[in-house]
Amino acid sequence: MQSGFVNAVSALCYSILWDQPRSLPTGEDCDVSPNAVVNFVLHQHARMPDYLRLPFFFLTLAFDCSGVLLSGTRFHRMDHSERQRQIELWRSSRFSFQRDFIRLYEGLAVFCWYSTLSARLAVLEEARVAESDTTCLRV
């Protein structure tokens, strides 16, 4: 059951990141591993209080299994377009727990992605400034 949870979290994070508009630069220097985002979300789940951790766990498994009703397979085994369709169904559901579930995953995934990317860009900029300062001193 734990591996099903990890697979569902991974598929959700990858699907959410796939469709995010990239307002920050991308490239080799700016590449953030989606696995880092998945690990962040799993870590945040582990840090939840008991009264939230278990319901979040089972709701994630329910989300994964609800894909069987839509396309005959679990969410983490769907192709990208089917995943996006299921996410959109939950995002626009009349039930607030489904909308909140997707919003929580989006918030965690996007927060980790952009905060990691911003930190990486800041470190690269500091290295460039330090290198240019050293170059100026040598002249």
Side-chain angles (χ1 to χ4, degrees):
M1 200 169 354
Q2 185 69 22
S3 67
F5 174 74
V6 172
N7 290 338
V9 169
S10 179
L12 255 168
C13 290
Y14 273 78
S15 296
I16 289 168
L17 292 175
W18 181 273
D19 285 344
Q20 285 302 311
R22 303 289 194 262
S23 60
L24 293 174
T26 58
E28 191 173 305
D29 289 342
C30 306
D31 194 27
V32 176
S33 168
N35 288 335
V37 175
V38 172
N39 289 332
F40 173 80
V41 172
L42 291 171
H43 181 71
Q44 294 308 308
H45 173 259
R47 295 181 61 206
M48 287 180 177
D50 292 339
Y51 68 92
L52 290 176
R53 188 179 322 117
L54 195 58
F56 187 73
F57 177 83
F58 284 116
L59 187 56
T60 302
L61 290 177
F63 175 80
D64 189 41
C65 291
S66 71
V68 173
L69 300 173
L70 294 172
S71 64
T73 186
R74 292 172 61 181
F75 178 79
H76 74 270
R77 293 186 179 183
M78 293 178 178
D79 66 22
H80 180 69
S81 62
E82 291 173 322
R83 285 181 183 180
Q84 289 308 314
R85 192 176 109 213
Q86 182 173 337
I87 289 172
E88 195 52 46
L89 283 172
W90 276 55
R91 183 184 289 129
S92 61
S93 172
R94 65 184 174 128
F95 300 110
S96 64
F97 77 91
Q98 289 178 318
R99 295 188 310 267
D100 293 343
F101 173 81
I102 296 299
R103 197 172 338 167
L104 176 62
Y105 267 102
E106 286 175 333
L108 289 171
V110 172
F111 172 77
C112 180
W113 178 271
Y114 283 113
S115 63
T116 304
L117 184 57
S118 294
R120 182 170 288 171
L121 289 173
V123 167
L124 289 171
E125 184 60 29
E126 285 179 20
R128 287 184 190 123
V129 168
E131 186 177 306
S132 68
D133 287 346
T134 306
T135 305
C136 290
L137 290 175
R138 288 184 205 161
V139 174

